[in-house]
Amino acid sequence: MSNTFGRHLKITLFGESHGPSIGAILDGLPGGVKIDEEYIASRMQLRRAVGTISTARQEADQVHILSGVKDGYSEGTPIALVIDNSNVHSKDYSSLADLARPGHADYTGHIKYDGFEDPRGGGHFSGRLTAPITACGAIVQHMLAEKGILCGSHIRQLHGIDDLPFDSEHLKEQISQLNQKQFAVLDDMAAKAMQAEIEAARKQLDSVGGILETAVIGLPAGLGEPEFDSIESQLAHGIFSIPAVKGISFGEGFGFAGMKGSQANDAFCIRNGKIETVTNHNGGINGGITNGMPVLFQTVIKPTPSIAQVQDTVNFATKEETKIAIHGRHDPAIIHRARVVADSVTCLVMADFMMERFGREYFHG
């Protein structure tokens, strides 16, 4: 049983949605890395609930760093950080304690933890735990950016509404643009349509999901292993730890099924004395190893399972069938908040691979 992820750079999560606080320990960061608390706060802001397209639960999400940082730089020892839970409505869950909310981990968590789990707000399974992931990811994302490695995500699709795809010629500018947006979409008209779709779902007591597309540029060729620790397998391991993720694909992904080899292969060429590929159908990865091109992948985010419509369920204490309507404060969509979490996990994975290949000293200030 473990709540730790990573090999050279490890993150351990703790806390519950309605507990006094949540937090993480980031271990493996070398000394001398600049810890920009304003940058961390800006990334936390991108995850916050905003307006009626998000939950009404408002948390300050101020990150308190307890250890591992002195005078604005990492010490090389574990960084412990805590985020307070200050706006909880635990009474919203008092009538749901023994009911299996469809799409949630109530039943499986009850079985795994022998009935001692905290069911309020999903407890340790809650998306609330993505806040410390975002905080740790911000530390690492800033560290990677100092080395010219940039990461960004956008909502590629929301309930059938498409955004513009990434443009390989302007990827750096697009990543920079997205990282400044609260609602990460490249096409402003698509953003309006998506927000209207979320509002419509909310009024129908329902929710919607979609697809995130993530890009990482500036990575060197040669990161990753050919088998169990490939770039794809480690990214999938991390990304699937984000609540509501139900799928991940790389490059053309499932689109490869309709292509021929002559279409799917990326021909090699020399550009400005550097080996590159003419196209990037494989998302910057060959044989589980980066080839120096942008790493591109897509993540499927399912609709928020907490909806106020009446659904069939069971009481796992009495073993009786019953009905449930989930009231309280819930997101009609979480994809726009999940994109900064996807960035954070991606940066944690990539930094881990960089340390494996070049050592911790590569990131010394």
Side-chain angles (χ1 to χ4, degrees), residues 100-106 246 302-303 305-306 311:
R101 293 175 297 165
H104 281 277
D106 300 328
K246 283 297 182 181
K302 74 175 183 177
S306 293
Q311 301 174 84

Side-chain angles (χ1 to χ4, degrees), residues 139-350:
I139 292 172
V140 175
Q141 188 164 4
H142 188 272
M143 179 182 75
L144 290 173
E146 294 286 298
K147 296 295 185 180
I149 300 170
L150 306 178
C151 175
S153 301
H154 71 123
I155 305 172
R156 183 64 182 85
Q157 183 185 105
L158 184 138
H159 201 232
I161 302 170
D162 290 323
D163 187 23
L164 296 170
F166 275 130
D167 179 357
S168 60
E169 298 296 320
H170 302 94
L171 208 44
K172 183 175 181 179
E173 293 85 351
Q174 288 181 325
I175 288 174
S176 177
Q177 175 188 359
L178 290 169
N179 283 333
Q180 302 300 317
K181 287 188 172 185
Q182 191 73 39
F183 195 85
V185 176
L186 295 169
D187 182 353
D188 291 338
M189 293 300 293
K192 291 179 181 179
M194 289 179 183
Q195 291 174 19
E197 189 73 9
I198 297 172
E199 285 281 5
R202 180 181 66 83
K203 291 176 182 178
Q204 296 163 4
L205 307 182
D206 217 329
S207 61
V208 292
I211 299 173
L212 292 172
E213 184 177 36
T214 302
V216 188
I217 61 174
L219 290 169
L223 301 180
E225 303 295 334
E227 306 295 346
F228 302 113
D229 289 327
S230 69
I231 291 287
E232 293 104 328
S233 61
Q234 287 299 313
L235 272 173
H237 185 174
I239 292 294
F240 272 115
S241 300
I242 302 172
V245 168
K246 283 297 182 181
I248 186 170
S249 64
F250 295 87
E252 297 293 337
F254 287 93
F256 281 122
M259 301 170 72
K260 293 182 178 179
S262 57
Q263 299 169 309
N265 289 342
D266 298 307
F268 284 94
C269 66
I270 303 293
R271 288 195 185 112
N272 300 318
K274 181 182 176 183
I275 297 176
E276 295 186 357
T277 59
V278 178
T279 54
N280 194 22
H281 299 303
N282 289 275
I285 306 168
N286 294 133
I289 301 169
T290 56
N291 62 19
M293 297 296 287
V295 168
L296 297 170
F297 64 92
Q298 301 78 40
T299 303
V300 177
I301 306 291
K302 74 175 183 177
T304 317
S306 293
I307 59 174
Q309 292 186 18
V310 176
Q311 301 174 84
D312 293 321
T313 190
V314 298
N315 183 310
F316 46 74
T318 64
K319 301 295 192 299
E320 295 175 328
E321 294 182 351
T322 185
K323 302 285 186 181
I324 186 173
I326 305 171
H327 301 290
R329 304 170 298 171
H330 306 292
D331 295 88
I334 60 172
I335 189 168
H336 55 294
R337 301 178 65 196
R339 60 86 180 215
V340 70
V341 187
D343 289 347
S344 296
V345 171
T346 301
C347 289
L348 288 163
V349 171
M350 295 309 181

